[in-house]
Amino acid sequence: MSGKSNWQKICADIQERSLNQTLLEVESAREFKTEIFHCLNRASNEKILSANQKEIRGLLKKGASSQINKKGYTEIMGGGKNFNRTQDIPHFKLHNGC
């Protein structure tokens, strides 16, 4: 890894993905939630994420949009809002404790 630790590489990969413009083409919120689940499950299998499948399913929720009050708008959430980063609110955790 040319001098970078594993977590530095993970952070660099996440930053690169977030800065790249990626077209979002999904057929339904259900399919998109399934894709997110598979991504989180792979992260768990690769020991990046500490949650198991049951925890991922419990945190990953799909529901009516709280922002757009129209039929057909959906939100996909991954746990409750946790701006203060308290540990008592269920949330996704990395293997390093973050």
Side-chain angles (χ1 to χ4, degrees):
M1 271 189 252
S2 67
K4 283 189 177 181
S5 68
N6 193 34
W7 69 268
Q8 287 173 317
K9 171 136 179 35
I10 292 168
C11 291
D13 289 347
I14 290 170
Q15 183 176 7
E16 181 181 334
R17 278 182 277 177
S18 67
L19 294 176
N20 287 336
Q21 291 184 352
T22 304
L23 295 175
L24 181 60
E25 296 180 11
V26 294
E27 293 195 23
S28 70
R30 189 171 117 210
E31 278 189 35
F32 189 44
K33 181 181 174 228
T34 300
E35 288 178 32
I36 293 170
F37 173 79
H38 289 304
C39 180
L40 293 169
N41 195 42
R42 278 192 307 273
S44 176
N45 291 341
E46 293 171 11
K47 304 299 183 213
I48 296 168
L49 197 61
S50 66
N52 60 37
Q53 272 195 15
K54 183 178 178 181
E55 292 168 320
I56 293 170
R57 287 186 196 283
L59 286 171
L60 191 61
K61 301 288 182 193
K62 178 178 68 90
S65 174
S66 63
Q67 302 297 313
I68 301 172
N69 194 17
K70 292 182 182 177
K71 185 178 180 179
Y73 287 84
T74 303
E75 286 181 356
I76 299 174
M77 290 104 13
K81 291 182 182 177
N82 192 4
F83 296 120
N84 295 326
R85 306 292 186 244
T86 58
Q87 295 297 312
D88 58 330
I89 296 174
H91 59 282
F92 291 111
K93 297 177 192 108
L94 298 177
H95 266 285
N96 65 4
C98 294

